[in-house]
Amino acid sequence: MSSTERTPLFSANPPPYSVRGGENHRDNPSTSYWQPHLPVDSESNMPDNPDSKGAHGYNFFPYLVVFLVGYLVGGSSFSRRQDLEWKQKADLCWIDATPESKCLSYEKRMYTAKLAHIPDHTPGDEWCWNVPIKIHGDEYAQPEWCGIRDGEVYGQWYVDKNEPSCSTWFSILDKESTCVHGVSHTRRYFGKLENFNREDWDNWRIMCATTPFKVHNLTFERPHQCGLRPSSWVGAWGTVDVHDETCPV
């Protein structure tokens, strides 16, 4: 046999039994096992490694990895395209966007809307998270909450822009200001919470605590204290302490 020829995968006359030591044992098969006649490298006279290659000596693992990655990426892209096509075809949209009567906090209110044009035999609550809405000209990609009520799909959003009825402020009462006893050079200013709706009375603490407080060209993100003061004027009030050299040490 020439040096360039290789032994066929199965020899025409293979030994009936073989063992790891390379000896043939016809009379003692209990110590032997069947073993195919593996191809032998003519140069090294060593068999190819069957654990890392296929039957013909090829390594298929890289091809398998490429195939799986392509399948997964292509499958997810197809699924996204299919979802988009279904959504466009169904013309899903939100209708009857309605604000809650109460403000959640300063310039913040919750809106509720119903999802319309849901395709038959599809889970509408899953579509809910993927349909945007415009409120006051601002787009919200997804709601804060999705759910089903009376067989209809609803979503809810926190809107913190262009809510004038939730835009409260403090009217400063200079005559009520006073130096803080025991605190050096500190004056306390009182402000009445304005534009405060009756529907929000059970929420007065949050409305007060989230409303900016402005006094003498100073702006505080929120008052230092909040409370109800029914003596001189009825309503919620806030206070801030400001450094004042006219107050005693």
Side-chain angles (χ1 to χ4, degrees), residues 16-69:
Y17 299 101
S18 61
V19 294
R20 295 189 182 275
E23 299 177 358
N24 297 331
H25 295 263
R26 298 177 181 272
D27 301 328
N28 189 14
S30 62
T31 60
S32 306
Y33 60 90
W34 284 104
Q35 176 177 317
H37 196 72
L38 296 174
V40 178
D41 186 10
S42 59
E43 296 181 359
S44 62
N45 202 29
M46 293 296 291
D48 294 333
N49 185 0
D51 295 331
S52 61
K53 298 184 179 181
H56 296 283
Y58 298 109
N59 191 345
F60 292 101
F61 182 73
Y63 301 97
L64 179 61
V65 171
V66 172
F67 171 78
L68 291 177
V69 171

Side-chain angles (χ1 to χ4, degrees), residues 116-231:
H117 305 155
I118 302 175
D120 294 335
H121 311 296
T122 59
D125 53 339
E126 293 185 6
W127 288 114
C128 177
W129 298 105
N130 299 298
V131 181
I133 189 175
K134 278 191 176 182
I135 301 176
H136 301 324
D138 296 314
E139 183 172 296
Y140 297 82
Q142 61 179 201
E144 300 288 338
W145 173 87
C146 284
I148 299 178
R149 293 192 313 216
D150 300 327
E152 302 286 352
V153 178
Y154 288 89
Q156 288 185 325
W157 297 260
Y158 295 140
V159 177
D160 56 2
K161 297 178 181 178
N162 301 317
E163 286 296 324
S165 60
C166 295
S167 181
T168 48
W169 68 87
F170 289 101
S171 58
I172 308 304
L173 304 176
D174 285 325
K175 65 179 181 179
E176 296 286 343
S177 66
T178 180
C179 293
V180 180
H181 179 71
V183 182
S184 176
H185 300 309
T186 301
R187 180 175 295 275
R188 179 165 294 167
Y189 288 90
F190 295 83
K192 180 182 179 181
L193 189 63
E194 303 286 1
N195 197 32
F196 188 53
N197 300 319
R198 289 183 177 273
E199 291 83 359
D200 297 321
W201 268 112
D202 59 347
N203 199 29
W204 70 267
R205 289 182 178 85
I206 294 179
M207 293 302 298
C208 176
T210 57
T211 301
F213 197 109
K214 297 180 180 180
V215 55
H216 299 324
N217 297 324
L218 297 175
T219 301
F220 297 85
E221 185 178 355
R222 61 180 61 89
H224 297 157
Q225 292 181 350
C226 287
L228 294 176
R229 188 177 181 185
S231 56

Side-chain angles (χ1 to χ4, degrees), residues 233-246:
W233 36 265
V234 178
W237 54 270
T239 67
V240 294
D241 294 342
V242 180
H243 180 79
D244 189 346
E245 290 292 338
T246 65

